[in-house]
């Protein structure tokens, strides 16, 4: 039985509660979208495939003054397949970070323009951190979560997101400190902050 990672992502949502295709698409943006993304057009074909495999069932729900909707529920086979997949070795994450690629040759850049670049990046990550911190307030701090609770997985991924954003902000702050110090030193010496001679 071959299941895509998107299929497993949908099962991780359905194991919590039955959802319609529309609700699944929303959940794929938040919270799953924080660490795994998929296009809306991919979701319904994958749901149909999971249904064919007997991992989910679909019930048509009549709605007044609205089109009927399908409510998807994970089956016992679906739960078993998901539980087995969770402990299988994870594929290495592919890293394609344009900002890091630019940083690798930052010495060529106009430092004042680089300062603006990293100020913008720092602000973006501060906004994301604020969103995560708001979600964190929804969890009781005094009561430890049990590892057999769905909230445990949600909380664990949230902590990873918080750690990532805080680390990124710290890194941006360090680069900004170095760049700003460099520019200030050049100005104090009445030298242009950027005068790089390119080799032939």
């Amino acid at each position: 039985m071959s299941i895509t990672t998107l299929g497993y992502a949908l099962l991780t949502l359905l194991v919590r509660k039955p959802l319609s295709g529309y609700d699944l698409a929303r959940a794929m943006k938040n919270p799953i979208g924080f660490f795994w993304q998929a296009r809306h057009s991919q979701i319904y074909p994958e749901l149909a495939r999971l249904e064919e495999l007997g991992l989910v069932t679909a019930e048509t729900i009549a709605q007044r003054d609205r089109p009927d909707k399908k409510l998807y529920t994970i089956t016992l086979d679906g739960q078993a397949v998901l539980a087995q997949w969770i402990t299988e070795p994870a594929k290495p994450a592919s890293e394609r970070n344009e900002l890091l690629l630019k940083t690798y040759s930052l010495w060529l850049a106009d430092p004042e323009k680089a300062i603006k670049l990293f100020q913008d990046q720092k602000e973006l990550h501060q906004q994301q951190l604020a969103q995560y911190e708001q979600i964190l307030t929804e969890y009781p701090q005094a009561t430890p979560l049990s590892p057999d609770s769905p909230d445990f997985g949600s909380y664990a991924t949230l902590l990873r997101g918080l750690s990532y954003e805080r680390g990124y902000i710290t890194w941006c702050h360090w680069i900004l400190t170095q760049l700003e110090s460099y520019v200030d030193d050049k100005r104090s010496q009445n030298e242009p902050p950027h005068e790089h001679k390119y080799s032939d």
Side-chain angles (χ1 to χ4, degrees):
M1 182 184 299
S2 177
I3 304 172
T4 66
T5 307
L6 173 57
Y8 286 118
L10 294 172
L11 291 177
T12 63
L13 292 168
L14 292 173
V15 78
R16 285 165 165 76
K17 62 180 179 180
L19 294 168
S20 67
Y22 174 77
D23 291 332
L24 281 165
R26 289 182 59 189
M28 285 299 297
K29 293 182 179 179
N30 183 357
I32 297 295
F34 290 137
F35 48 87
W36 183 267
Q37 297 181 352
R39 294 189 301 274
H40 188 279
S41 60
Q42 296 175 297
I43 293 174
Y44 286 96
E46 191 63 30
L47 282 170
R49 188 166 177 274
L50 293 174
E51 188 176 3
E52 289 178 2
L53 292 172
L55 304 181
V56 303
T57 59
E59 178 186 2
T60 301
I61 306 295
Q63 299 188 105
R64 186 175 181 179
D65 300 327
R66 299 173 66 182
D68 294 348
K69 70 175 182 180
K70 277 189 173 182
L71 191 66
Y72 295 90
T73 303
I74 193 170
T75 64
L76 291 176
D77 285 345
Q79 292 185 43
V81 166
L82 178 61
Q84 179 179 348
W85 171 77
I86 290 169
T87 55
E88 292 177 357
K91 297 177 182 177
S94 59
E95 185 65 58
R96 294 171 65 92
N97 190 313
E98 184 178 339
L99 183 62
L100 286 180
L101 188 59
K102 291 182 176 184
T103 304
Y104 189 67
S105 294
L106 194 60
W107 57 281
L108 290 172
D110 180 331
E112 292 179 321
K113 291 182 179 179
I115 287 172
K116 177 65 167 60
L117 170 66
F118 280 91
Q119 284 174 337
D120 291 345
Q121 287 293 316
K122 183 179 178 182
E123 183 178 347
L124 286 173
H125 286 277
Q126 286 173 329
Q127 291 172 359
Q128 186 63 70
L129 177 61
Q131 186 176 1
Y132 287 158
E133 288 176 336
Q134 178 59 40
I135 298 173
L136 185 63
T137 63
E138 300 172 6
Y139 290 90
Q141 298 299 308
T143 306
L145 296 171
S146 173
D148 63 357
S149 163
D151 283 343
F152 182 84
S154 301
Y155 186 70
T157 53
L158 176 60
L159 289 182
R160 177 65 183 90
L162 287 163
S163 175
Y164 175 81
E165 295 302 335
R166 287 167 179 161
Y168 218 106
I169 291 167
T170 299
W171 176 69
C172 287
H173 178 75
W174 177 82
I175 291 179
L176 284 167
T177 300
Q178 304 304 309
L179 290 171
E180 289 166 353
S181 176
Y182 172 79
V183 170
D184 288 344
D185 287 345
K186 288 294 184 181
R187 285 175 177 167
S188 67
Q189 299 169 19
N190 294 319
E191 296 180 12
H194 180 64
E195 187 177 353
H196 183 80
K197 295 182 179 179
Y198 301 95
S199 59
D200 294 333

